[in-house]
Amino acid sequence: MGLFRRRRQATVPSHDRAADRGDLDHLENFIRSRRGVEAYIEPRTTVTETTVILIADDGEWTRRRIDGPDGARRFAYRMGIPVYDVRLMGYPQRMRDFNERRKRRPERS
């Protein structure tokens, strides 16, 4: 009858993928080609794995998957850049200003 059996937890398959070498290469290239880059760790959500967003001193940014918060910290340490938790610090104003400038830019044909 199974009245006292535990119900199995339904495992939801992830539609996301883990970080790969291409992600790390992109992040490293961004750091090498921009000035004043800082890393911000974004937490895992129900849709995506942990990501790191890199923000340059002019507000330009890029986001890629990373192997968890500890992986993001190790990556930032190895690259010699500061790392912050976005849940504690929020996003810097320069990123919002950069996004606003991009929105106002006329469309290119």
Side-chain angles (χ1 to χ4, degrees):
M1 220 164 144
L3 290 176
F4 299 105
R5 267 191 242 159
R6 290 186 181 211
R7 295 176 96 179
R8 283 190 183 185
Q9 291 283 339
T11 55
V12 178
S14 175
H15 298 291
D16 198 22
R17 63 173 178 77
D20 61 20
R21 187 68 230 169
D23 294 323
L24 296 177
D25 288 344
H26 174 81
L27 294 171
E28 290 172 9
N29 185 50
F30 187 87
I31 292 167
R32 286 190 201 103
S33 61
R34 306 316 188 274
R35 293 173 31 132
V37 177
E38 297 174 332
Y40 288 80
I41 302 169
E42 297 178 310
R44 180 179 182 215
T45 68
T46 56
V47 179
T48 61
E49 295 299 323
T50 302
T51 55
V52 65
I53 187 165
L54 300 180
I55 305 172
D57 65 352
D58 67 350
E60 183 181 2
W61 59 274
T62 190
R63 173 185 289 126
R64 290 293 185 273
R65 292 165 185 84
I66 198 84
D67 295 327
D70 290 336
R73 287 184 192 90
R74 282 190 304 271
F75 174 78
Y77 178 77
R78 182 171 57 84
M79 298 303 295
I81 63 172
V83 62
Y84 306 101
D85 187 326
V86 79
R87 291 176 295 186
L88 300 175
M89 301 295 293
Y91 296 101
Q93 183 63 44
R94 68 182 182 275
M95 178 185 168
R96 291 189 287 277
D97 294 343
F98 178 82
N99 289 340
E100 189 62 33
R101 286 190 307 271
R102 287 183 72 197
K103 275 199 275 186
R104 287 193 215 150
R105 187 174 12 173
E107 294 283 329
R108 294 182 186 177
S109 300

